[in-house]
């Protein structure tokens, strides 16, 4: 009996020590996340600096002209291989612009219930934001348009999320 009691107390002591260690690790995790977040932010700053420093290549000029002409499909087809950083950037920009144009004509109303499908709208806005965030280079001729489109997408995603949350709470 004494041995069983001793074993149970020992097991509790070991388990409580492990639990305390895990709690301590969880508390230190946010500091690690802050360091990672700071590093991520400094990386974004570098990317922003690189965007303004990068001299456009002939390839950049070609794809910029195609984007300005709204020929997104051609840009996507020619850049999908990601053979260069330029191709990656223009693929992402063309995809964001194409998705934005598609959203203008897309109906987000469910025909069976006659209610807006906020989930699809939020998802589409987030796709635009992700594509823009992936582009490390934005041509000067399009910088304002792309920044406005991203800002609009962020605002509308937040607004639609609020509406979705209201609907969810009401049900």
């Amino acid at each position: 009996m004494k041995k069983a009691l001793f074993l149970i107390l020992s097991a509790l002591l070991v388990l409580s020590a492990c639990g305390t260690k895990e709690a301590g690790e969880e508390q230190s995790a946010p500091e690690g996340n802050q360091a990672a977040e700071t590093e991520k932010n400094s990386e974004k700053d570098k990317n922003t600096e690189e965007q303004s420093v990068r001299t456009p290549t002939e390839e950049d000029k070609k794809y910029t002209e195609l984007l300005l002409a709204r020929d997104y499909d051609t840009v996507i087809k020619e850049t999908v291989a990601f053979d260069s950083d330029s191709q990656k950037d223009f693929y992402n920009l063309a995809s964001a612009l194409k998705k934005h144009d598609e959203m203008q004509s897309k109906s987000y109303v469910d025909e069976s219930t006659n209610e807006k499908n906020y989930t699809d709208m939020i998802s589409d806005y987030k796709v635009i934001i992700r594509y823009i965030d992936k582009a490390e280079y934005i041509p000067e001729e399009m910088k304002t348009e792309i920044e406005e489109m991203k800002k609009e997408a962020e605002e509308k995603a937040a607004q639609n999320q609020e509406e979705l949350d209201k609907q969810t709470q009401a049900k």
Side-chain angles (χ1 to χ4, degrees), residues 47 50-51 54-57 59-61 63-64 67 75 78-94 131-139:
N47 287 342
E50 287 175 12
Q51 285 177 0
R54 181 171 157 181
T55 304
T57 63
E59 186 178 42
D60 292 341
K61 291 175 185 175
Y63 293 133
T64 300
L67 288 180
V75 175
E78 291 184 13
T79 60
V80 74
F82 294 142
D83 289 334
S84 67
D85 287 338
S86 180
Q87 287 186 3
K88 290 177 193 173
D89 294 335
F90 281 96
Y91 175 86
N92 288 317
L93 293 173
Y131 277 130
I132 294 171
D133 285 343
K134 286 182 181 180
E136 294 178 6
Y137 171 76
I138 300 173

Side-chain angles (χ1 to χ4, degrees), residues 15-36:
L15 290 174
S16 67
C18 291
T20 304
K21 183 176 180 182
E22 288 174 5
E25 288 173 358
E26 287 176 11
Q27 289 174 353
S28 66
E31 292 172 10
N33 287 342
Q34 288 173 345

